[in-house]
Amino acid sequence: MAMTGRHFVKFTFLKLDPSWRRRDPADRARDKAEFAAACNDFGEDHFLRAYSLVGTRGDTDLMIRCSAPALDPIHELHVLLNQSGLMRYAEVSQSYLALTKESVYSDEPQPLQPREGSDRKYLIVYPMWKKREWYQLPPEERMRIMRGHIEVGRRYGSIEINTAYSFGLDDQEFVVSFNADDPAEFLDLVQELRGTESSAYTESETPIFTCISASVERALDALDGETVPAVQA
Amino acid sequence: MAMTGRHFVKFTFLKLDPSWRRRDPADRARDKAEFAAACNDFGEDHFLRAYSLVGTRGDTDLMIRCSAPALDPIHELHVLLNQSGLMRYAEVSQSYLALTKESVYSDEPQPLQPREGSDRKYLIVYPMWKKREWYQLPPEERMRIMRGHIEVGRRYGSIEINTAYSFGLDDQEFVVSFNADDPAEFLDLVQELRGTESSAYTESETPIFTCISASVERALDALDGETVPAVQA
Amino acid sequence: MAMTGRHFVKFTFLKLDPSWRRRDPADRARDKAEFAAACNDFGEDHFLRAYSLVGTRGDTDLMIRCSAPALDPIHELHVLLNQSGLMRYAEVSQSYLALTKESVYSDEPQPLQPREGSDRKYLIVYPMWKKREWYQLPPEERMRIMRGHIEVGRRYGSIEINTAYSFGLDDQEFVVSFNADDPAEFLDLVQELRGTESSAYTESETPIFTCISASVERALDALDGETVPAVQA
Amino acid sequence: MAMTGRHFVKFTFLKLDPSWRRRDPADRARDKAEFAAACNDFGEDHFLRAYSLVGTRGDTDLMIRCSAPALDPIHELHVLLNQSGLMRYAEVSQSYLALTKESVYSDEPQPLQPREGSDRKYLIVYPMWKKREWYQLPPEERMRIMRGHIEVGRRYGSIEINTAYSFGLDDQEFVVSFNADDPAEFLDLVQELRGTESSAYTESETPIFTCISASVERALDALDGETVPAVQA
Amino acid sequence: MAMTGRHFVKFTFLKLDPSWRRRDPADRARDKAEFAAACNDFGEDHFLRAYSLVGTRGDTDLMIRCSAPALDPIHELHVLLNQSGLMRYAEVSQSYLALTKESVYSDEPQPLQPREGSDRKYLIVYPMWKKREWYQLPPEERMRIMRGHIEVGRRYGSIEINTAYSFGLDDQEFVVSFNADDPAEFLDLVQELRGTESSAYTESETPIFTCISASVERALDALDGETVPAVQA
């Protein structure tokens, strides 16, 4: 079984302890700069994007999405993040580990590389589990049901979907993420999908995170409303 | 698909760390004034209301409900709130993000603007999920069932309902809120609705928050029983 | 719909932070005296009872049960409690808001006033939800089933029941509480009720709190084993 | 209904805050000695046993199991424990309150007194709930099913069972505990019981605590690996 | 029933408090060295392996897997760990206690000794519960279903499975762990197993932990990105 081309994808959500905001502005600036340096180092050779969740969620403030062909660089990135001042006041509030894999249902491209759509304004992410009944269906039946699902999606052409697989690696079965510029359009798509046959086979698809695309520095700035100093990576 | 007129609605619930009450009264006054200033700034151009939950809930103390035609101003409001002294001692205990949308069932006005009823004494808020079976029903069947539901509601004429939609943007499907002056009347309405056909299609409608309408300053005063100084926004 | 005579009932459970016990005995005495003063002030015009849960539960230490014809005095009581030193080291671990309402099933008196039984040694409290199937039954069927339930209860004559209603105001549908002198008798009643028809329509009736009746001062003393100084209300 | 001979049983599980281990060894020794003194005082007139969970669980470190014919002494024991230095750094992580009661199914002796088996090396404890369907079965059917259950148990003769009842007093219906010297034998018994008819009527029987019998002093020593000084009770 | 050769297996997952990273590098080095010394002492006579979860999970940082023929040495190891500086800033975030047992379905060797495969790069661990319906099936039916399951596993020959049993000793029924070098291959195996008959009898198999094999020292280094000094055990 050739593994060529499959990539690990990691979504790391952080929640700052309120006490971090009691630190001196200079200390906070250094805390953020160290965190940004680790991200930017990794980003030189690998895919890494940052997102702010300030104002969209209450249980998390910042998300780092990164990808690599092996687990080692992702492990090392997180070791480096642990060295930053910021992680002395932050918890990993949610964490999703997944792998890319060719879909049996569609010609969906694999999100190995930051694809065209990745600069959309929002990334919407959620872990997903299907009911066990789904897996008992014959393949052609599952194919038929998924086609109905995909057809609805095609009518919302500006929404891009990335599916990653977590079976056996993490709690969820899939990590699904969407690039979108207009959250209202995405809402309408999801509401319409509720009526499809495939929807009845969903066991769980929460929590749902509306993530605001940002540079690492801007996502860090949103934590305390102050500008992170220039970082030399 | 025209998005004209749809507004984002955000319900941000805060829980103060008990240690905040150990701070000097002057510090607490400044913490609250900074928080109020951010709210009042936002409120100049957008809809923002404050509510106290002191005495009605145990897991949250204060709720800020705000609305804007895009996510950016809501994100920025929360960045500014993070700069206030109060957020150095507070957690966002619950958070609900939603969008307004024209209902297919009724002529319910969209809560884009603070409507007449918004100065009622209480706002009752809860996230809601319907069972997946609901979405498998044919549209005319859903229409018939919703009409029964709406008819009961009409007999409690002083209660106003605002429905916002969260499909794909946040964990819940809907955020439902009610303006009411008499909680006892609302209780009787909800109890009567349990007997309607639509009630059997509810998956979850908790937690339920009874929120006491207040100015931002009064909602902040209830946190420590002391008066917030005048704020120049 | 006449609201005359309906009262709000609030059950506020507190959990002390273990660090509170590290404070000086004099500080703790003042913390408790301030809390007791707020309770006693409220108790002059309204119903208020205190209970200790030290030794019966692990997630809560103290419960305040209060009642008033409107929400305002209950809100104000909790604002005053927030001013006390004790609330700088305490969390509201559970909170149940409810309203009294005439029962359609029995001639049970409304617990508006502290009734004869309220000086029993224990108050057992729990939130309750019924299955949605219950509400789909015809009224006469529900009446028949409830009569079977009430009949069993009558054979345990020393147990008094108080039912309060929370539909739409708080997470639960009912807050049920029982005055009892002998917990063993209450246990036998609850075990026997498991065999009744109505029991099959219960969705949830936990957590269950066995609360020990006490003066406000004695309930506070149980927190650190030291006597609270005399309070002049 | 004669209550003669029924005893309250309380299982109090404690979790130490890691910060407690940062205290001076002398302070920790005093903290433990105060806790042990309260236990030993109670133990002079009542049943009290201590257990360590260090190495068997992660969410709790120590369990105190005590019994008395009334709730008052149990309440007072926990008030005294609250006075000890140890409870300034400990949380009650789990708590189970129950009463002894004559079983309708067997001639199982009531665990009022520390019975012969109570010096076995391990006590395994869990709260239990049966499905509501169980209580709808006719008594003779329940008797038949329980006999199959008891028969399997009899083949594991060295395991002793103690059943206590919590209906209406605490969240669970039963607190079941087992004295055993060989955990492997107990595991085999539980696995074999999965195949009995009665097993299908179990709603929940977790969490399961494997508790290591110890003197109060040894259970306290396991918290920080240091010897508690001799205690004069 | 011969117990000869059965071993206790303990999986202890640790989560560091972010405040630990605020300590001096020298203090952190000593904290880690003390923890490593306790592990290495135990490892002289017993099986002990360490794993890092930095970058694969958010709720835990480090896992210690140890095994012994009796509970006493495992209890004592954890008492010693409690003495280390590291445990003054760490919580046991997850804990699984289990016993080895001969499988009735296969000739799977018992993981008593570190077997050949134990130096694979990853260990994937999860607790498992089967549905009660499973245990009601006749033995030959269960055997038939398990054979289908085992057959799929055999096609992924580089994956090794270790099953341990927790019935009655801990919350879960089984602790399943897999030695693997290629997480992608394991993912494909788990996804394929979803379609087997046995999969429908799984009640729960989360959380799932992807653990990175490491020496005790390297797993500790990943906590703060700094090298632990040489340890003399």
Side-chain angles (χ1 to χ4, degrees), chain D residues 15 18 21-22 52 54-58 121-122 124 182-184 186-188 190-191 194-196 199-200 202 205-208 210 212 222-225, chain E residues 1 3 6 8 10 19 71-72 74-75 78-79 82-83 87-92 95 97 99 101 129 132 135-136 165-171 173-174:
Chain D
K15 175 78 188 155
R21 297 194 191 99
R22 296 176 215 160
S52 178
V54 172
T56 66
R57 294 281 301 187
K121 209 161 171 189
Y122 302 103
I124 291 166
D182 182 352
F186 183 66
L187 185 152
D188 293 339
V190 173
Q191 190 175 9
R194 280 293 193 279
T196 61
S199 175
T202 301
E205 51 187 6
T206 56
I208 299 173
T210 295
I212 304 169
L223 297 174
D224 62 355
Chain E
M1 184 162 303
M3 293 300 114
R6 294 177 74 175
F8 288 88
K10 179 77 198 314
S19 71
L71 256 179
D72 284 352
I74 291 174
H75 169 66
H78 286 80
V79 170
N82 276 352
Q83 284 186 290
M87 292 308 290
R88 296 176 184 171
Y89 295 88
E91 293 277 359
V92 178
S95 165
L97 178 65
L99 262 168
K101 185 171 182 171
W129 288 258
R132 288 289 157 105
Y135 300 101
Q136 313 293 327
Y165 296 73
S166 297
F167 293 90
L169 300 191
D170 203 343
D171 300 356
E173 296 179 344
F174 304 92

Side-chain angles (χ1 to χ4, degrees), chain D residues 146-160:
Chain D
M146 282 307 291
R147 282 216 188 95
H149 180 95
I150 289 164
E151 234 159 75
V152 174
R154 288 231 170 95
R155 281 193 282 105
Y156 294 78
S158 77
I159 309 281
E160 295 170 340

Side-chain angles (χ1 to χ4, degrees), chain C residues 139-165:
Chain C
E140 58 277 19
E141 179 70 358
R142 281 190 277 164
M143 181 70 83
R144 184 187 62 73
I145 292 169
M146 282 307 290
R147 282 216 190 96
H149 180 95
I150 289 164
E151 234 160 73
V152 173
R154 288 230 170 96
R155 281 193 282 105
Y156 294 79
S158 77
I159 310 281
E160 295 169 340
I161 180 169
N162 307 287
T163 306
Y165 296 73

